[in-house]
mmCIF file of all heavy atoms in Angstrom:
data_model
loop_
_atom_site.group_PDB
_atom_site.id
_atom_site.type_symbol
_atom_site.label_atom_id
_atom_site.label_comp_id
_atom_site.label_asym_id
_atom_site.label_seq_id
_atom_site.Cartn_x
_atom_site.Cartn_y
_atom_site.Cartn_z
ATOM 1 N N GLY A 222 73.049 22.316 59.766
ATOM 2 C CA GLY A 222 74.506 22.258 59.672
ATOM 3 C C GLY A 222 75.180 23.450 60.328
ATOM 4 O O GLY A 222 74.529 24.412 60.741
ATOM 5 N N ALA A 223 76.485 23.381 60.426
ATOM 6 C CA ALA A 223 77.302 24.450 60.998
ATOM 7 C C ALA A 223 78.174 25.051 59.898
ATOM 8 O O ALA A 223 78.261 24.509 58.793
ATOM 9 C CB ALA A 223 78.172 23.897 62.119
ATOM 10 N N ILE A 224 78.822 26.158 60.228
ATOM 11 C CA ILE A 224 79.688 26.836 59.258
ATOM 12 C C ILE A 224 81.023 27.184 59.912
ATOM 13 O O ILE A 224 81.057 27.683 61.042
ATOM 14 C CB ILE A 224 79.018 28.118 58.714
ATOM 15 C CG1 ILE A 224 77.743 27.761 57.953
ATOM 16 C CG2 ILE A 224 79.986 28.892 57.832
ATOM 17 C CD1 ILE A 224 76.993 28.952 57.394
ATOM 18 N N LEU A 225 82.105 26.906 59.194
ATOM 19 C CA LEU A 225 83.446 27.332 59.588
ATOM 20 C C LEU A 225 83.884 28.382 58.581
ATOM 21 O O LEU A 225 83.948 28.099 57.384
ATOM 22 C CB LEU A 225 84.423 26.156 59.598
ATOM 23 C CG LEU A 225 85.894 26.486 59.877
ATOM 24 C CD1 LEU A 225 86.065 27.076 61.281
ATOM 25 C CD2 LEU A 225 86.766 25.245 59.710
ATOM 26 N N VAL A 226 84.159 29.600 59.054
ATOM 27 C CA VAL A 226 84.584 30.695 58.187
ATOM 28 C C VAL A 226 86.065 30.970 58.446
ATOM 29 O O VAL A 226 86.463 31.216 59.584
ATOM 30 C CB VAL A 226 83.767 31.986 58.437
ATOM 31 C CG1 VAL A 226 84.187 33.084 57.458
ATOM 32 C CG2 VAL A 226 82.274 31.720 58.338
ATOM 33 N N VAL A 227 86.860 30.935 57.364
ATOM 34 C CA VAL A 227 88.301 31.132 57.458
ATOM 35 C C VAL A 227 88.692 32.292 56.541
ATOM 36 O O VAL A 227 88.380 32.272 55.348
ATOM 37 C CB VAL A 227 89.064 29.847 57.040
ATOM 38 C CG1 VAL A 227 90.561 30.049 57.116
ATOM 39 C CG2 VAL A 227 88.616 28.668 57.886
ATOM 40 N N SER A 228 89.360 33.304 57.094
ATOM 41 C CA SER A 228 89.785 34.435 56.266
ATOM 42 C C SER A 228 90.879 33.984 55.303
ATOM 43 O O SER A 228 91.756 33.202 55.662
ATOM 44 C CB SER A 228 90.291 35.587 57.143
ATOM 45 O OG SER A 228 91.435 35.212 57.855
ATOM 46 N N GLN A 229 90.802 34.494 54.062
ATOM 47 C CA GLN A 229 91.744 34.052 53.036
ATOM 48 C C GLN A 229 91.952 35.172 52.015
ATOM 49 O O GLN A 229 91.334 35.187 50.963
ATOM 50 C CB GLN A 229 91.210 32.798 52.348
ATOM 51 C CG GLN A 229 92.098 32.274 51.266
ATOM 52 C CD GLN A 229 92.681 30.935 51.608
ATOM 53 O OE1 GLN A 229 92.118 30.187 52.373
ATOM 54 N NE2 GLN A 229 93.809 30.635 51.018
ATOM 55 N N PHE A 230 92.837 36.114 52.339
ATOM 56 C CA PHE A 230 93.079 37.236 51.438
ATOM 57 C C PHE A 230 93.648 36.787 50.103
ATOM 58 O O PHE A 230 93.527 37.473 49.097
ATOM 59 C CB PHE A 230 93.980 38.292 52.097
ATOM 60 C CG PHE A 230 95.440 37.970 52.066
ATOM 61 C CD1 PHE A 230 96.245 38.503 51.064
ATOM 62 C CD2 PHE A 230 96.018 37.145 53.024
ATOM 63 C CE1 PHE A 230 97.605 38.211 51.028
ATOM 64 C CE2 PHE A 230 97.365 36.854 52.996
ATOM 65 C CZ PHE A 230 98.162 37.388 51.999
ATOM 66 N N THR A 231 94.256 35.600 50.061
ATOM 67 C CA THR A 231 94.869 35.134 48.819
ATOM 68 C C THR A 231 93.839 34.849 47.728
ATOM 69 O O THR A 231 94.211 34.661 46.570
ATOM 70 C CB THR A 231 95.747 33.885 49.047
ATOM 71 O OG1 THR A 231 94.947 32.834 49.585
ATOM 72 C CG2 THR A 231 96.904 34.193 49.985
ATOM 73 N N LEU A 232 92.562 34.859 48.061
ATOM 74 C CA LEU A 232 91.529 34.731 47.027
ATOM 75 C C LEU A 232 91.541 35.941 46.094
ATOM 76 O O LEU A 232 90.973 35.900 45.015
ATOM 77 C CB LEU A 232 90.145 34.553 47.652
ATOM 78 C CG LEU A 232 89.911 33.223 48.353
ATOM 79 C CD1 LEU A 232 88.560 33.212 49.043
ATOM 80 C CD2 LEU A 232 90.021 32.069 47.375
ATOM 81 N N TYR A 233 92.178 37.018 46.524
ATOM 82 C CA TYR A 233 92.300 38.212 45.687
ATOM 83 C C TYR A 233 93.651 38.292 44.968
ATOM 84 O O TYR A 233 94.059 39.356 44.501
ATOM 85 C CB TYR A 233 92.035 39.483 46.510
ATOM 86 C CG TYR A 233 90.559 39.749 46.591
ATOM 87 C CD1 TYR A 233 89.797 39.242 47.623
ATOM 88 C CD2 TYR A 233 89.918 40.463 45.586
ATOM 89 C CE1 TYR A 233 88.439 39.452 47.676
ATOM 90 C CE2 TYR A 233 88.554 40.674 45.628
ATOM 91 C CZ TYR A 233 87.819 40.169 46.673
ATOM 92 O OH TYR A 233 86.466 40.375 46.713
ATOM 93 N N ALA A 234 94.343 37.187 44.858
ATOM 94 C CA ALA A 234 95.634 37.165 44.163
ATOM 95 C C ALA A 234 95.446 37.440 42.677
ATOM 96 O O ALA A 234 94.552 36.909 42.043
ATOM 97 C CB ALA A 234 96.308 35.816 44.353
ATOM 98 N N ASP A 235 96.298 38.302 42.145
ATOM 99 C CA ASP A 235 96.353 38.550 40.698
ATOM 100 C C ASP A 235 97.664 37.932 40.215
ATOM 101 O O ASP A 235 98.748 38.388 40.575
ATOM 102 C CB ASP A 235 96.320 40.046 40.421
ATOM 103 C CG ASP A 235 96.431 40.384 38.938
ATOM 104 O OD1 ASP A 235 96.599 39.456 38.104
ATOM 105 O OD2 ASP A 235 96.357 41.574 38.608
ATOM 106 N N CYS A 236 97.536 36.894 39.410
ATOM 107 C CA CYS A 236 98.715 36.176 38.914
ATOM 108 C C CYS A 236 98.959 36.466 37.435
ATOM 109 O O CYS A 236 99.629 35.706 36.749
ATOM 110 C CB CYS A 236 98.531 34.670 39.137
ATOM 111 S SG CYS A 236 98.333 34.227 40.858
ATOM 112 N N GLY A 237 98.408 37.580 36.953
ATOM 113 C CA GLY A 237 98.487 37.911 35.535
ATOM 114 C C GLY A 237 99.871 38.303 35.041
ATOM 115 O O GLY A 237 100.205 38.082 33.887
ATOM 116 N N LYS A 238 100.685 38.888 35.895
ATOM 117 C CA LYS A 238 102.019 39.331 35.486
ATOM 118 C C LYS A 238 103.061 38.631 36.334
ATOM 119 O O LYS A 238 102.963 38.615 37.554
ATOM 120 C CB LYS A 238 102.159 40.839 35.677
ATOM 121 C CG LYS A 238 101.287 41.650 34.756
ATOM 122 C CD LYS A 238 101.527 43.125 34.960
ATOM 123 C CE LYS A 238 100.636 43.940 34.057
ATOM 124 N NZ LYS A 238 100.805 45.365 34.262
ATOM 125 N N GLY A 239 104.032 38.075 35.701
ATOM 126 C CA GLY A 239 105.129 37.437 36.422
ATOM 127 C C GLY A 239 104.689 36.188 37.160
ATOM 128 O O GLY A 239 103.628 35.630 36.905
ATOM 129 N N ASN A 240 105.525 35.775 38.105
ATOM 130 C CA ASN A 240 105.274 34.551 38.846
ATOM 131 C C ASN A 240 104.921 34.781 40.310
ATOM 132 O O ASN A 240 104.632 33.836 41.027
ATOM 133 C CB ASN A 240 106.494 33.631 38.764
ATOM 134 C CG ASN A 240 106.708 33.152 37.351
ATOM 135 O OD1 ASN A 240 105.762 32.791 36.675
ATOM 136 N ND2 ASN A 240 107.947 33.175 36.898
ATOM 137 N N ARG A 241 104.972 36.023 40.757
ATOM 138 C CA ARG A 241 104.629 36.337 42.137
ATOM 139 C C ARG A 241 103.274 37.021 42.155
ATOM 140 O O ARG A 241 103.077 38.046 41.511
ATOM 141 C CB ARG A 241 105.685 37.250 42.747
ATOM 142 C CG ARG A 241 105.414 37.546 44.196
ATOM 143 C CD ARG A 241 106.604 38.235 44.844
ATOM 144 N NE ARG A 241 106.317 38.395 46.254
ATOM 145 C CZ ARG A 241 106.467 39.535 46.893
ATOM 146 N NH1 ARG A 241 106.938 40.596 46.274
ATOM 147 N NH2 ARG A 241 106.185 39.601 48.169
ATOM 148 N N PRO A 242 102.318 36.475 42.902
ATOM 149 C CA PRO A 242 100.982 37.082 42.933
ATOM 150 C C PRO A 242 101.001 38.479 43.545
ATOM 151 O O PRO A 242 101.784 38.763 44.450
ATOM 152 C CB PRO A 242 100.162 36.135 43.815
ATOM 153 C CG PRO A 242 101.003 34.959 44.089
ATOM 154 C CD PRO A 242 102.408 35.286 43.730
ATOM 155 N N SER A 243 100.115 39.308 43.052
ATOM 156 C CA SER A 243 99.894 40.634 43.610
ATOM 157 C C SER A 243 98.571 40.602 44.367
ATOM 158 O O SER A 243 97.610 39.965 43.940
ATOM 159 C CB SER A 243 99.814 41.662 42.479
ATOM 160 O OG SER A 243 99.330 42.885 42.974
ATOM 161 N N PHE A 244 98.499 41.294 45.485
ATOM 162 C CA PHE A 244 97.294 41.305 46.301
ATOM 163 C C PHE A 244 96.723 42.709 46.439
ATOM 164 O O PHE A 244 96.070 43.036 47.424
ATOM 165 C CB PHE A 244 97.593 40.704 47.684
ATOM 166 C CG PHE A 244 98.092 39.297 47.599
ATOM 167 C CD1 PHE A 244 99.445 39.014 47.737
ATOM 168 C CD2 PHE A 244 97.224 38.251 47.344
ATOM 169 C CE1 PHE A 244 99.913 37.713 47.645
ATOM 170 C CE2 PHE A 244 97.679 36.946 47.245
ATOM 171 C CZ PHE A 244 99.018 36.677 47.398
ATOM 172 N N THR A 245 96.939 43.548 45.429
ATOM 173 C CA THR A 245 96.506 44.940 45.502
ATOM 174 C C THR A 245 94.987 45.098 45.551
ATOM 175 O O THR A 245 94.498 46.139 45.994
ATOM 176 C CB THR A 245 97.066 45.761 44.317
ATOM 177 O OG1 THR A 245 96.638 45.156 43.097
ATOM 178 C CG2 THR A 245 98.586 45.823 44.362
ATOM 179 N N ASP A 246 94.228 44.092 45.123
ATOM 180 C CA ASP A 246 92.769 44.195 45.157
ATOM 181 C C ASP A 246 92.167 43.732 46.485
ATOM 182 O O ASP A 246 90.975 43.892 46.717
ATOM 183 C CB ASP A 246 92.143 43.391 44.010
ATOM 184 C CG ASP A 246 92.408 44.018 42.654
ATOM 185 O OD1 ASP A 246 92.669 45.242 42.604
ATOM 186 O OD2 ASP A 246 92.361 43.297 41.650
ATOM 187 N N ALA A 247 92.999 43.159 47.355
ATOM 188 C CA ALA A 247 92.516 42.748 48.674
ATOM 189 C C ALA A 247 92.320 43.979 49.550
ATOM 190 O O ALA A 247 93.046 44.969 49.432
ATOM 191 C CB ALA A 247 93.510 41.790 49.323
ATOM 192 N N ALA A 248 91.335 43.916 50.421
ATOM 193 C CA ALA A 248 91.073 45.026 51.347
ATOM 194 C C ALA A 248 92.216 45.141 52.351
ATOM 195 O O ALA A 248 92.867 44.139 52.679
ATOM 196 C CB ALA A 248 89.760 44.782 52.082
ATOM 197 N N PRO A 249 92.459 46.348 52.865
ATOM 198 C CA PRO A 249 93.464 46.485 53.916
ATOM 199 C C PRO A 249 93.025 45.691 55.157
ATOM 200 O O PRO A 249 91.820 45.481 55.369
ATOM 201 C CB PRO A 249 93.517 47.989 54.194
ATOM 202 C CG PRO A 249 92.340 48.583 53.524
ATOM 203 C CD PRO A 249 91.845 47.620 52.501
ATOM 204 N N PRO A 250 93.976 45.248 55.973
ATOM 205 C CA PRO A 250 93.651 44.366 57.093
ATOM 206 C C PRO A 250 92.536 44.853 58.019
ATOM 207 O O PRO A 250 91.695 44.057 58.432
ATOM 208 C CB PRO A 250 94.983 44.242 57.846
ATOM 209 C CG PRO A 250 96.020 44.473 56.802
ATOM 210 C CD PRO A 250 95.417 45.480 55.859
ATOM 211 N N GLY A 251 92.506 46.113 58.365
ATOM 212 C CA GLY A 251 91.473 46.621 59.275
ATOM 213 C C GLY A 251 90.073 46.426 58.725
ATOM 214 O O GLY A 251 89.174 45.918 59.416
ATOM 215 N N LEU A 252 89.869 46.811 57.474
ATOM 216 C CA LEU A 252 88.564 46.650 56.830
ATOM 217 C C LEU A 252 88.242 45.177 56.632
ATOM 218 O O LEU A 252 87.119 44.732 56.884
ATOM 219 C CB LEU A 252 88.542 47.371 55.479
ATOM 220 C CG LEU A 252 87.276 47.178 54.638
ATOM 221 C CD1 LEU A 252 86.051 47.742 55.355
ATOM 222 C CD2 LEU A 252 87.451 47.822 53.268
ATOM 223 N N ALA A 253 89.238 44.408 56.212
ATOM 224 C CA ALA A 253 89.017 42.977 55.974
ATOM 225 C C ALA A 253 88.579 42.275 57.254
ATOM 226 O O ALA A 253 87.626 41.492 57.245
ATOM 227 C CB ALA A 253 90.287 42.344 55.415
ATOM 228 N N GLN A 254 89.227 42.562 58.365
ATOM 229 C CA GLN A 254 88.865 41.918 59.625
ATOM 230 C C GLN A 254 87.454 42.317 60.055
ATOM 231 O O GLN A 254 86.666 41.477 60.491
ATOM 232 C CB GLN A 254 89.861 42.262 60.722
ATOM 233 C CG GLN A 254 89.554 41.545 62.028
ATOM 234 C CD GLN A 254 90.637 41.730 63.070
ATOM 235 O OE1 GLN A 254 91.475 42.626 62.969
ATOM 236 N NE2 GLN A 254 90.633 40.875 64.072
ATOM 237 N N GLU A 255 87.127 43.581 59.916
ATOM 238 C CA GLU A 255 85.795 44.067 60.287
ATOM 239 C C GLU A 255 84.708 43.357 59.476
ATOM 240 O O GLU A 255 83.702 42.891 60.035
ATOM 241 C CB GLU A 255 85.734 45.582 60.047
ATOM 242 C CG GLU A 255 84.404 46.212 60.341
ATOM 243 C CD GLU A 255 84.400 47.695 59.991
ATOM 244 O OE1 GLU A 255 85.427 48.380 60.233
ATOM 245 O OE2 GLU A 255 83.380 48.165 59.459
ATOM 246 N N LEU A 256 84.897 43.248 58.165
ATOM 247 C CA LEU A 256 83.879 42.631 57.312
ATOM 248 C C LEU A 256 83.855 41.104 57.466
ATOM 249 O O LEU A 256 82.787 40.492 57.359
ATOM 250 C CB LEU A 256 84.082 43.045 55.858
ATOM 251 C CG LEU A 256 83.835 44.536 55.596
ATOM 252 C CD1 LEU A 256 84.133 44.885 54.148
ATOM 253 C CD2 LEU A 256 82.417 44.932 55.978
ATOM 254 N N TYR A 257 84.991 40.504 57.732
ATOM 255 C CA TYR A 257 85.065 39.065 58.017
ATOM 256 C C TYR A 257 84.224 38.754 59.258
ATOM 257 O O TYR A 257 83.406 37.839 59.267
ATOM 258 C CB TYR A 257 86.535 38.691 58.202
ATOM 259 C CG TYR A 257 86.830 37.374 58.861
ATOM 260 C CD1 TYR A 257 86.608 36.168 58.212
ATOM 261 C CD2 TYR A 257 87.381 37.328 60.141
ATOM 262 C CE1 TYR A 257 86.920 34.954 58.816
ATOM 263 C CE2 TYR A 257 87.697 36.127 60.751
ATOM 264 C CZ TYR A 257 87.456 34.945 60.087
ATOM 265 O OH TYR A 257 87.769 33.747 60.688
ATOM 266 N N GLN A 258 84.411 39.548 60.302
ATOM 267 C CA GLN A 258 83.653 39.343 61.533
ATOM 268 C C GLN A 258 82.168 39.635 61.323
ATOM 269 O O GLN A 258 81.311 38.915 61.843
ATOM 270 C CB GLN A 258 84.220 40.210 62.654
ATOM 271 C CG GLN A 258 85.572 39.731 63.125
ATOM 272 C CD GLN A 258 86.231 40.663 64.117
ATOM 273 O OE1 GLN A 258 85.914 41.847 64.207
ATOM 274 N NE2 GLN A 258 87.182 40.128 64.862
ATOM 275 N N GLU A 259 81.866 40.664 60.560
ATOM 276 C CA GLU A 259 80.469 40.983 60.293
ATOM 277 C C GLU A 259 79.784 39.851 59.529
ATOM 278 O O GLU A 259 78.648 39.486 59.834
ATOM 279 C CB GLU A 259 80.336 42.290 59.509
ATOM 280 C CG GLU A 259 78.887 42.641 59.260
ATOM 281 C CD GLU A 259 78.671 43.998 58.640
ATOM 282 O OE1 GLU A 259 79.602 44.827 58.611
ATOM 283 O OE2 GLU A 259 77.537 44.234 58.181
ATOM 284 N N PHE A 260 80.464 39.294 58.540
ATOM 285 C CA PHE A 260 79.915 38.176 57.779
ATOM 286 C C PHE A 260 79.593 37.006 58.718
ATOM 287 O O PHE A 260 78.492 36.459 58.697
ATOM 288 C CB PHE A 260 80.921 37.756 56.700
ATOM 289 C CG PHE A 260 80.546 36.529 55.935
ATOM 290 C CD1 PHE A 260 79.586 36.577 54.932
ATOM 291 C CD2 PHE A 260 81.154 35.314 56.208
ATOM 292 C CE1 PHE A 260 79.235 35.433 54.211
ATOM 293 C CE2 PHE A 260 80.819 34.168 55.498
ATOM 294 C CZ PHE A 260 79.857 34.235 54.503
ATOM 295 N N ALA A 261 80.545 36.630 59.572
ATOM 296 C CA ALA A 261 80.333 35.526 60.518
ATOM 297 C C ALA A 261 79.201 35.856 61.486
ATOM 298 O O ALA A 261 78.356 35.002 61.778
ATOM 299 C CB ALA A 261 81.627 35.230 61.268
ATOM 300 N N ASN A 262 79.153 37.075 61.977
ATOM 301 C CA ASN A 262 78.106 37.466 62.923
ATOM 302 C C ASN A 262 76.724 37.469 62.291
ATOM 303 O O ASN A 262 75.731 37.134 62.947
ATOM 304 C CB ASN A 262 78.421 38.831 63.537
ATOM 305 C CG ASN A 262 79.564 38.753 64.533
ATOM 306 O OD1 ASN A 262 79.845 37.691 65.100
ATOM 307 N ND2 ASN A 262 80.246 39.862 64.730
ATOM 308 N N ARG A 263 76.632 37.835 61.039
ATOM 309 C CA ARG A 263 75.333 37.795 60.353
ATOM 310 C C ARG A 263 74.837 36.356 60.207
ATOM 311 O O ARG A 263 73.652 36.096 60.331
ATOM 312 C CB ARG A 263 75.403 38.496 59.001
ATOM 313 C CG ARG A 263 75.462 40.011 59.140
ATOM 314 C CD ARG A 263 75.415 40.706 57.802
ATOM 315 N NE ARG A 263 75.395 42.138 57.965
ATOM 316 C CZ ARG A 263 74.304 42.869 58.104
ATOM 317 N NH1 ARG A 263 73.119 42.293 58.109
ATOM 318 N NH2 ARG A 263 74.376 44.174 58.227
ATOM 319 N N LEU A 264 75.751 35.443 59.943
ATOM 320 C CA LEU A 264 75.368 34.033 59.883
ATOM 321 C C LEU A 264 74.914 33.547 61.261
ATOM 322 O O LEU A 264 73.912 32.847 61.383
ATOM 323 C CB LEU A 264 76.531 33.182 59.364
ATOM 324 C CG LEU A 264 76.896 33.401 57.887
ATOM 325 C CD1 LEU A 264 78.201 32.693 57.558
ATOM 326 C CD2 LEU A 264 75.777 32.937 56.979
ATOM 327 N N ARG A 265 75.632 33.949 62.309
ATOM 328 C CA ARG A 265 75.247 33.575 63.681
ATOM 329 C C ARG A 265 73.865 34.130 64.035
ATOM 330 O O ARG A 265 73.066 33.447 64.668
ATOM 331 C CB ARG A 265 76.265 34.124 64.684
ATOM 332 C CG ARG A 265 77.526 33.348 64.776
ATOM 333 C CD ARG A 265 78.424 33.874 65.914
ATOM 334 N NE ARG A 265 79.719 33.255 65.805
ATOM 335 C CZ ARG A 265 80.815 33.858 65.355
ATOM 336 N NH1 ARG A 265 80.793 35.129 64.988
ATOM 337 N NH2 ARG A 265 81.955 33.201 65.277
ATOM 338 N N ALA A 266 73.620 35.362 63.621
ATOM 339 C CA ALA A 266 72.343 36.014 63.935
ATOM 340 C C ALA A 266 71.160 35.293 63.307
ATOM 341 O O ALA A 266 70.023 35.435 63.767
ATOM 342 C CB ALA A 266 72.373 37.476 63.490
#
């Protein structure tokens, strides 16, 4: 089979307070992009 990897920072949404999710536990974009690409590249390898 094949794999489609889609980045989704909203998986780190904290909806515990109020009605607007907080994303403070998500990695900053630079780190997130680096690790997203590394994950995909490891699967390719």
Side-chain angles (χ1 to χ4, degrees):
I224 297 179
L225 175 63
V226 183
V227 179
S228 64
Q229 179 114 26
F230 80 96
T231 59
L232 290 175
Y233 276 91
D235 178 357
C236 299
K238 293 183 181 178
N240 294 317
R241 183 169 184 229
S243 168
F244 301 102
T245 58
D246 290 337
L252 175 63
Q254 183 172 17
E255 178 184 321
L256 293 177
Y257 164 72
Q258 290 173 339
E259 181 173 346
F260 174 77
N262 287 336
R263 286 185 177 271
L264 291 170
R265 282 186 190 105

